[in-house]
Amino acid sequence: MAGLGGRMSTVIKAKVSKILDKAEDPAETLDYSYQKQLESLQNVKKGIADVVTAKKRLQMQSSKLEDSVVKLDTQARQALAQGNEELARTALERKNVAQTELQSLDGQIAELEAQQQKLTDSEKALRAKIEAFRTKKEVIKAQYSAAEAQVRISEAATGVGEEMADVGLAMQRAVDKTENMKARADAVSELEAAGTFEDLTQLGQGEDDIDRQLKELSNKSVVDDDLAKLKAELGQGAAPGQLAAGEPAVEGSAEDAEPAAAPKTEEQA
Amino acid sequence: MIVRISGEGQYRLPDAMHGALNELDNTVVEAAEAGDETRFATAFAELLALVRSNGEILAGDDLSTSEVILPPPDTTLEQAAETFTGEGLIPD
């Protein structure tokens, strides 16, 4: 059937044939090929386990970053409530870095999830072929002379061989993707080691510099702290004057300036 | 004619579809060589759709070999281009 396909499929077909030629030794076709098939199935299982391991690693990083985002957000609120806008900004900047990293990680986790699903499907397909081959092999052996059985079983083995080659391809793609993500995870770890996420890595355990500064502030201004907490409880959150440092003071001025725009009728009544 | 979409499965297609299949196949290659992302994506999607809509999927325990093997549906232009220069998708 050579020359049947277009350029693309011809190239791919040639490569698969090459794999099959390498894998198949006619003298050993009978039971040996079944052993090779089972080995191939084991390899796929190992491939799936590798993808799952890589995924778990990324998930751990992701959950660590999620904790960081929550903590940095809390720290920013606290800093702002205590009037330290600069500290709040630092916390928010770090939160931003963590969030960006988190989004990227989530995308990679989804990608690995997809790879895992594909490999699982491939494994299922290969398993079905191998089982069919096993059955067919026994039937052929029982029905034909040794020489003819050899030929027919060889044909059937080629069908499984093609599936094995296809699974091999799926594995290769999964490995490539996993390697990329490992490299990415290592890069994140390096960033952490370099201090970019210095504080993030310690969250939940030791104190970071934001914590320490907050504590100093708290010691200095327990009253302010209480007041900020009270404001927050009253639903005012951080004082607007502290939030918008670049703007002119707005305390109570908005409603005064434009009384007609005030929608609350009970205040006007 | 049996066509395999790599990573997806095998389909039995009427032999009369050779021409249409080859034409699209070659269009995909040309687009990949030219680095034409849009044309590559369109032609490859058409090729896959042609196989899926006209083909009858083979049972999982069918041991037939494929006359035509197409790359995985999520093949990128870069990967396709690599394949045709003799490296890439299926390692030697």
Side-chain angles (χ1 to χ4, degrees):
Chain A
M1 294 293 238
L4 200 88
R7 287 170 64 192
M8 176 165 65
S9 51
T10 303
V11 169
I12 297 177
K13 182 90 172 121
K15 289 190 178 228
V16 170
S17 300
K18 211 164 152 190
I19 295 172
L20 292 181
D21 287 348
K22 232 186 270 177
E24 219 175 308
D25 181 348
E28 295 178 309
T29 307
L30 287 175
D31 290 317
Y32 178 68
S33 62
Y34 182 58
Q35 284 309 313
K36 294 299 279 184
Q37 290 162 16
L38 292 180
E39 276 172 30
S40 172
L41 198 58
Q42 286 305 316
N43 278 337
V44 184
K45 283 183 183 163
K46 193 177 163 294
I48 294 173
D50 287 347
V51 171
V52 169
T53 304
K55 193 180 76 179
K56 277 187 181 154
R57 187 177 169 195
L58 291 186
Q59 279 170 335
M60 274 171 65
Q61 275 194 336
S62 170
S63 102
K64 206 160 117 184
L65 280 174
E66 268 171 25
D67 290 346
S68 300
V69 168
V70 171
K71 173 138 192 186
L72 286 166
D73 185 72
T74 307
Q75 289 178 329
R77 283 167 195 276
Q78 286 174 353
L80 203 54
Q82 290 169 341
N84 192 334
E85 194 182 322
E86 203 172 316
L87 186 58
R89 191 180 301 278
T90 304
L92 287 176
E93 277 167 6
R94 286 180 191 176
K95 180 187 160 190
N96 199 284
V97 171
Q99 264 175 331
T100 307
E101 202 54 51
L102 193 57
Q103 275 175 3
S104 153
L105 272 183
D106 286 348
Q108 291 170 55
I109 290 166
E111 175 61 44
L112 283 187
E113 189 82 53
Q115 288 300 321
Q116 185 188 340
Q117 187 55 52
K118 271 184 194 155
L119 281 186
T120 307
D121 291 345
S122 296
E123 189 213 343
K124 208 172 135 196
L126 181 59
R127 188 187 294 277
K129 296 263 190 213
I130 292 175
E131 181 54 29
F133 175 79
R134 192 184 64 83
T135 310
K136 192 163 186 177
K137 176 168 69 77
E138 295 312 314
V139 171
I140 291 172
K141 273 204 270 188
Q143 286 181 347
Y144 295 91
S145 71
E148 198 175 351
Q150 186 88 328
V151 172
R152 285 173 183 269
I153 289 170
S154 178
E155 279 167 11
T158 307
V160 186
E162 185 185 306
E163 195 71 42
M164 283 161 68
D166 199 47
V167 170
L169 167 60
M171 293 255 288
Q172 187 55 50
R173 286 164 72 80
V175 165
D176 288 349
K177 291 216 161 106
T178 309
E179 288 301 321
N180 284 343
M181 290 181 193
K182 272 183 192 157
R184 171 81 186 168
D186 288 345
V188 173
S189 300
E190 272 172 33
L191 272 180
E192 286 173 352
T196 308
F197 294 149
E198 194 180 336
D199 303 312
L200 307 190
T201 59
Q202 298 176 10
L203 292 176
Q205 300 163 24
E207 290 181 352
D208 56 37
D209 59 340
I210 299 182
D211 271 334
R212 284 190 291 276
Q213 289 189 52
L214 278 172
K215 207 167 252 178
E216 283 168 22
L217 268 177
S218 300
N219 292 338
K220 265 186 263 170
S221 55
V222 179
V223 177
D224 285 352
D225 191 18
D226 285 347
L227 190 64
K229 274 183 192 162
L230 195 60
K231 274 186 186 171
E233 280 170 23
L234 288 173
Q236 293 176 353
Q242 292 165 350
L243 258 175
E247 291 174 23
V250 290
E251 297 94 69
S253 63
E255 279 183 27
D256 295 341
E258 294 175 38
K264 292 175 183 169
T265 48
E266 67 269 23
E267 281 181 4
Q268 288 175 338
Chain B
M1 170 178 56
I2 294 173
V3 179
R4 172 185 288 274
I5 297 177
S6 190
E8 183 172 309
Q10 291 170 289
Y11 296 82
R12 190 186 303 278
L13 266 76
D15 285 350
M17 306 222 59
H18 276 157
L21 209 61
N22 286 352
E23 204 174 307
L24 274 171
D25 182 319
N26 290 328
T27 305
V28 172
V29 178
E30 283 160 23
E33 282 173 346
D36 187 339
E37 189 89 45
T38 313
R39 189 148 164 259
F40 169 79
T42 310
F44 190 36
E46 261 181 63
L47 179 59
L48 295 172
L50 185 82
V51 174
R52 289 173 184 145
S53 58
N54 293 284
E56 180 195 339
I57 196 151
L58 287 195
D61 60 358
D62 194 309
L63 295 175
S64 309
T65 51
S66 310
E67 279 92 51
V68 173
I69 301 177
L70 300 178
D74 61 354
T75 301
T76 62
L77 184 141
E78 288 76 23
Q79 289 167 335
E82 272 176 25
T83 305
F84 309 132
T85 58
E87 292 175 37
L89 286 179
I90 300 176
D92 290 325

